[in-house]
Amino acid sequence: MNLTLKIWRQKDASSKGQMVDYKVTEISEHMSFLEMMDVLNEQLVNSDEEPVAFDHDCREGICGMCSMYINGEAHGPDRGVTTCQLHMRMFKDGDTITIEPFRAAAFPVIKDLVVDRSSFDRIQHAGGYISVNTSGNTQDANSIPISKHAADTAMDAATCIGCGACVATCKNSSAMLFVGAKVSQYALLPQGQVEAADRVRNMVAQMDLEGFGNCTNTGACEVECPKGISLENIARMNRELMKASV
Amino acid sequence: MALNSKVPKGPIKDKWTDYKNHINLVNPANKRHIDVIVVGTGLAGGSASATLAELGYNVKAFAYQDSPRRAHSIAAQGGINAAKNYQGDGDSTYRLFYDTVKGGDYRSREANVYRLAEVSANIIDQCVAQGVPFARDYGGLLDNRSFGGVLVSRTFYAKGQTGQQLLLGAYSAMNRQIARGKIEMFNRHEMLDVVVVDGKARGIIARDLITGEIERHAAHAVVIASGGYGNVYFLSTNAMGSNVTASWKIHKKGAYFANPCYTQIHPTCIPRSGDYQSKLTLMSESLRNDGRIWVPKKMEDVMAIREGRKKPTDLSEEERDYYLERRYPAFGNLVPRDVASRAAKERCDAGFGVNATGEAVYLDFKSAITRYGKEQAKIHNIENASDAKIYELGQKIVEAKYGNLFQMYEKIVDQDPYKTPMMIYPAVHYTMGGIWVDYNLMTTIPGCYAIGEANFSDHGANRLGASALMQGLADGYFVLPYTIGDYLANDIRTGKISTETPEFEAAEKEVSERINFFVNNKGTKSVDYFHKKLGKVMWDKAGMSRNGTGLKEAMEEIKAIREEFWKEVSVPGTASEMNPELEKAGRVADFLELGELFAKDALMREESCGGHFREESAELDGPQKGEAKRDDENFAFVAAWEYKGEPADAVLHKEELEFNDIELKQRSYK
Ligand SMILES: Cc1cc2nc3c(=O)[nH]c(=O)nc-3n(C[C@H](O)[C@H](O)[C@H](O)COP(=O)(O)OP(=O)(O)OC[C@H]3O[C@@H](n4cnc5c(N)ncnc54)[C@H](O)[C@@H]3O)c2cc1C
Ligand code: SF4
Ligand code: FES
């Protein structure tokens, strides 16, 4: 395949960015999207131009590092995948592909397609944990049985990879799907109950402080989330917050 | 320097308890005055950072990713072992210890492995308390599965995302300490050298990957938890950024590098499909619990399949060679990784590979789906269920167990594994070699520790499934926090370590010069060009099977690639900005040195051991004919290499391995 790429280039956080056109040729449909980007970058290095900076690491859809906004969608046109799992067979010979960074006020651009998602970490610092000592003097793991249903539902929430697609895709740049998933995981497990009220209050307060917008139930986040995190988690977070406020 | 493993005296089952009863402790008020640097926030570094902070030390943690949660550990799929014996199938600390030492082909340190087995049960308790959602059965108790190389079900799991959940657990514990100000987290920072003052590790030089700034960080001790070096092969299942830099830099400053040639080749990966490929994807080994591995018996069927004239599903049971079940009836598809990998390579080398490159075998779920389907039909009282109904019921069970893996396979290969068998081939996965450490997990540099995949001690020449996660967390949560205290007890009066010393000055200068070299070199070839070239030599000549001639050639060839690299490498951009090419250049430079030492180590080890088939060393007859031949008389030692400039000049130190509690035996899975 031969493709035209329109890519956002921005030298650093304080510079102005712009779209730049590139051509790539002989792209195989078996390549992943990031392998296609590797081909472009190899081409740029060989002509002594600066390659396009983008975040990636595991290339297995699990670390949450890769973050491209492709043709107007977070992680591109395929459903339920991250950019590293997106394959070129989703595109056609001659296509023009627009590639931008995830955009949100709380995700400032660092360079080209790389954005700063440390706001997610700070929300976790505010309460995304269970306060247990790590010294190993805990009780036997089977002493509190947990129903399979609760464990599975907690696991579903816990699969969030913190990629930020939900934020990038939301017209309000809301982080509620991410925060909801985290709050849910702990709310569903007995171990998380003790601090539940403080947790949800603190995490939501931090989320607001970071400049994420509010949820208006558009549901775009659920559609674009590579891990199928459901809107139910937002509802559960709101219930938890309500409980914590009465 | 003579190697002293510092293994405590006494019966193996009491060593760790006795040790803990007699070490020096640091009074809590004094811990506040002690700083510890942890490089890496995977399972090992994350759990260590959280626990050291919990104890009261001031921790500075470093990771090259933008968040600790993204460390390579996140990718582990299958599970984590622990000797809980919840299933009542006969598991015990001794059995886990025995399986691990045997599985490692008797090349690990007995005392360390016993300690690992001993603390394994605590890990599960700890993680559950932190809210890790392990799989549960209908009674609400923890569920287990079994993994290659063992006969009990001792593997705890969270769907196919166990590493992710365990890492998120450690990350949450870190978050709590970050919020309390006890951990200072340096994301997007890369450690580029260690600083040694008066013979002790006293800090590191790091580069801020956003601004390019070179920074000095001082501490009373430095912990390396930077993971493995499988990316020396270019293609591996490791994350793209996984590297050897931190380990290699401390090696150059005096830490011995142990068993560099011990690499695990994992049997169930998605085969490579083209030259553009950037990494290989693992399919969790747990699939072997239900999948059967085969190739066609007849060459004409192989050809027909390759040419698309036949489909694998067209072949009858009689036309298939279930070679693992045939050769190893006791363990069948559940033989350890090294055995399964070598057997797959053997069949493919003999011409029976089923894809275009001839490097793939089938992993087939048909029997399992039918078996589960029939069971379900019984449970739901469905009489005379049709084949289609049975298939549908069975598929649901398989989907519940491995759904995300099947989905991942389908996304990559574009074939539905519920309908047609998966294709798999071995790939570089994990490195058992690493920095040499004593029983305290301290390297040969006083005050410098290595934990997790970065050290060498627990897995021997082959790692059994689900034991890396166990080791990472054991080291970080339960071992290092004790052993480091013993060392730091002597440091309570030292006071703050200054970064304004000649040692810091010199280390910083060296790091800056190297970086400036790269951005000013203006060569003609990209970093990846050299990395791929190195990877090819490594795979062809120092891969799953090796021989003396090839290894000597590999050493020469790697040296030549290195020389060309330093002349011709081209790194666009500048040093004072985010520059991923510059990051890669530094890492590949270190791989180019490690690669040569790797080949040198493999050349010295004239035995077949673990996954490493030395062609000169095979069983010639008897029931084990054709299997790998270990040589305990001459090679029951750890090879610890001392840096002397060129990798070829490295000096070998041997730590003889003692096995008092386990008898060394031929490893048979027949
Ligand atoms: C696909 C896959 C599946 C696996 N499945 C299993 C399984 O089912 N069971 C099992 O037991 N094991 C499994 N493993 C192996 C296991 O995941 C790893 O061995 C283990 O997680 C390593 O943990 P670690 O903490 O030692 O290192 P890592 O998790 O690799 O962490 C390394 C850390 O070091 C940092 N770092 C590296 N270099 C530097 C530097 N120079 N400066 C600053 N920071 C640096 C990184 O940022 C990162 O934080 C699997 C591995 C893979 C690849
Ligand atoms: S909720 Fe989904 S889209 Fe949002 S961060 Fe988590 S995985 Fe990504
Ligand atoms: S690179 Fe890890 S999720 Fe894409």
Side-chain angles (χ1 to χ4, degrees), chain B residues 6-126:
Chain B
K6 305 229 175 86
V7 170
K9 298 253 168 334
I12 196 151
K13 62 178 193 4
D14 301 329
K15 281 186 200 291
W16 180 231
T17 310
D18 281 353
Y19 172 92
K20 286 192 292 183
N21 286 338
H22 293 102
I23 49 171
N24 294 315
L25 298 178
V26 184
N27 140 359
N30 285 331
K31 289 190 185 125
R32 274 196 297 265
H33 305 301
I34 291 186
D35 305 324
V36 181
I37 283 174
V38 179
V39 178
T41 58
L43 286 178
S47 56
S49 298
T51 310
L52 294 173
E54 176 93 54
L55 287 172
Y57 298 108
N58 307 312
V59 176
K60 286 176 153 190
F62 294 79
Y64 67 75
Q65 293 95 346
D66 68 333
S67 163
R69 66 170 292 147
R70 307 207 206 276
H72 165 70
S73 292
I74 198 108
Q77 299 169 348
I80 176 166
N81 285 337
K84 277 282 200 185
N85 196 26
Y86 280 158
Q87 306 302 333
D89 55 2
D91 203 9
S92 65
T93 300
Y94 182 82
R95 257 185 216 282
L96 176 52
F97 160 63
Y98 175 85
D99 286 343
T100 310
V101 171
K102 175 187 172 201
D105 230 349
Y106 307 93
R107 292 292 176 265
S108 47
R109 192 189 283 145
E110 228 186 22
N112 288 54
V113 181
Y114 195 90
R115 174 174 67 190
L116 175 66
E118 207 176 327
V119 303
S120 66
N122 276 349
I123 299 175
I124 305 303
D125 299 341
Q126 182 67 52

Side-chain angles (χ1 to χ4, degrees), chain B residues 292-454:
Chain B
R292 297 175 71 195
I293 295 175
W294 63 275
V295 291
K297 271 188 188 149
K298 286 185 298 223
M299 195 51 111
E300 64 226 51
D301 286 334
V302 173
M303 285 333 220
I305 286 176
R306 281 196 203 166
E307 286 157 17
R309 286 181 283 116
K310 265 191 184 170
K311 292 204 291 284
T313 43
D314 295 338
L315 264 56
S316 69
E317 283 292 299
E318 293 68 45
E319 291 168 318
R320 301 171 175 197
D321 175 14
Y322 294 95
Y323 57 87
L324 289 175
E325 298 168 36
R326 166 168 63 79
R327 284 175 62 176
Y328 308 100
F331 281 74
N333 294 299
L334 286 178
V335 291
R337 294 175 177 180
D338 60 326
V339 178
S341 297
R342 258 186 282 114
K345 183 168 189 298
E346 190 275 329
R347 280 296 79 197
C348 291
D349 287 350
F352 291 89
V354 292
N355 66 349
T357 60
E359 291 188 337
V361 299
Y362 287 125
L363 177 63
D364 197 335
F365 290 86
K366 177 85 196 311
S367 320
I369 292 176
T370 316
R371 177 162 43 87
Y372 286 126
K374 284 189 180 146
E375 202 176 284
Q376 287 298 307
K378 261 224 181 78
I379 292 172
H380 295 110
N381 281 325
I382 306 173
E383 295 204 10
N384 304 326
S386 66
D387 284 355
K389 185 71 194 171
I390 287 178
Y391 207 84
E392 182 197 314
L393 292 168
Q395 178 170 338
K396 276 214 191 92
I397 301 292
V398 169
E399 193 176 336
K401 285 180 119 170
Y402 313 110
N404 63 316
L405 299 171
F406 276 50
Q407 185 210 2
M408 185 160 88
Y409 181 87
E410 185 170 0
K411 287 283 176 202
I412 294 174
V413 183
D414 206 19
Q415 284 181 2
D416 178 0
Y418 293 105
K419 299 216 169 74
T420 181
M422 285 183 180
M423 286 183 287
I424 53 163
Y425 195 69
V428 171
H429 178 57
Y430 180 92
T431 44
M432 284 82 62
I435 294 296
W436 186 90
V437 290
D438 62 16
Y439 189 72
N440 301 324
L441 306 181
M442 186 148 88
T443 69
T444 41
I445 304 175
C448 182
Y449 292 76
I451 59 176
E453 193 172 339

Side-chain angles (χ1 to χ4, degrees), chain B residues 429-561:
Chain B
H429 178 57
Y430 180 92
T431 44
M432 284 82 62
I435 294 296
W436 186 90
V437 290
D438 62 16
Y439 189 72
N440 301 324
L441 306 181
M442 186 148 88
T443 69
T444 41
I445 304 175
C448 182
Y449 292 76
I451 59 176
E453 193 172 339
N455 77 21
F456 88 101
S457 56
D458 294 18
H459 305 299
N462 172 49
R463 179 175 72 79
L464 288 185
S467 59
L469 300 182
M470 173 172 68
Q471 185 223 340
L473 291 179
D475 285 359
Y477 282 137
F478 305 130
V479 180
L480 181 78
Y482 283 97
T483 62
I484 204 170
D486 190 41
Y487 171 84
L488 291 171
N490 296 322
D491 249 334
I492 51 176
R493 282 178 203 89
T494 308
K496 268 252 166 291
I497 309 280
S498 165
T499 52
E500 299 304 318
T501 58
E503 291 87 354
F504 272 96
E505 181 77 45
E508 182 184 319
K509 187 158 165 275
E510 214 177 302
V511 165
S512 301
E513 280 173 358
R514 188 171 162 111
I515 285 174
N516 290 331
F517 167 84
F518 284 131
V519 291
N520 293 323
N521 189 47
K522 307 288 170 232
T524 56
K525 296 196 169 86
S526 71
V527 176
D528 276 355
Y529 166 87
F530 294 101
H531 198 179
K532 284 181 183 168
K533 227 168 143 171
L534 169 68
K536 184 159 168 39
V537 176
M538 294 298 298
W539 181 251
D540 289 346
K541 298 187 171 162
M544 280 172 75
S545 73
R546 353 172 131 166
N547 60 51
T549 320
L551 288 165
K552 278 187 208 132
E553 285 166 13
M555 286 183 68
E556 288 302 315
E557 287 168 26
I558 295 167
K559 185 162 180 250
I561 300 171

Side-chain angles (χ1 to χ4, degrees), chain A residues 11 28 30-31 35 38 42 45-46 48-51 53 55-60 62-65 78-81 85 87 89 110-111 114-115 117 121 124-125 128-136 138-142 144-148 151 154-156 158-162 178 182 185-186 189 191, chain B residues 50-51 54 64-67 69-70 74-75 77 84 86 122 124-126 128-131 133-134 136-142 158-159 161 164-165 168 171-173 175-176 178-179 187-188 210 237 239-241 276-282 407-408 411-412 414 477-478 526 528 570 572-573 577-578 581:
Chain A
K11 190 157 175 48
S28 143
H30 295 299
M31 285 183 188
E35 281 165 349
D38 292 341
E42 182 82 8
V45 175
N46 287 336
D48 207 28
E49 281 176 67
E50 262 204 74
D55 263 334
H56 66 113
D57 202 20
C58 73
R59 296 208 175 185
E60 299 200 356
I62 191 80
C63 73
M65 195 88 170
D78 204 357
R79 284 290 150 264
V81 298
Q85 290 175 302
H87 276 74
R89 63 180 83 93
I110 295 175
K111 179 174 186 163
V114 178
V115 299
R117 284 170 286 188
D121 282 325
Q124 300 272 86
H125 301 163
Y129 50 79
I130 290 173
S131 297
V132 54
N133 194 312
T134 48
S135 63
T138 40
Q139 59 188 333
D140 185 85
N142 261 349
I144 307 175
I146 300 177
S147 82
K148 181 161 166 37
M155 177 66 205
D156 287 345
T159 30
C160 162
I161 56 173
F178 167 77
K182 216 57 222 173
Q185 178 196 340
Y186 294 126
L189 296 171
Q191 291 84 351
Chain B
T51 310
E54 176 93 54
Y64 67 75
Q65 293 95 346
D66 68 333
S67 163
R69 66 170 292 147
R70 307 207 206 276
I74 198 108
Q77 299 169 348
K84 277 282 200 185
Y86 280 158
N122 276 349
I124 305 303
D125 299 341
Q126 182 67 52
V128 167
Q130 282 166 221
F134 282 120
R136 302 260 162 181
D137 61 23
Y138 285 99
L141 301 179
L142 289 154
K159 281 203 181 149
Q161 299 156 20
Q164 176 192 36
Q165 292 311 316
L168 293 182
Y171 165 69
S172 71
N175 284 327
R176 176 162 164 259
I178 294 173
N187 295 320
R188 294 198 197 267
I210 297 180
T237 65
M240 298 298 283
Y276 52 79
Q277 203 142 347
S278 57
K279 73 159 278 169
L280 296 169
T281 303
L282 176 97
Q407 185 210 2
M408 185 160 88
K411 287 283 176 202
I412 294 174
D414 206 19
Y477 282 137
F478 305 130
S526 71
D528 276 355
S570 153
E577 61 176 334
M578 173 174 267
E581 282 297 306

Side-chain angles (χ1 to χ4, degrees), chain A residues 120 160-166 177 225-226 229:
Chain A
F120 271 15
C160 162
I161 56 173
C163 63
C166 46
L177 196 63
C225 170
I229 304 294

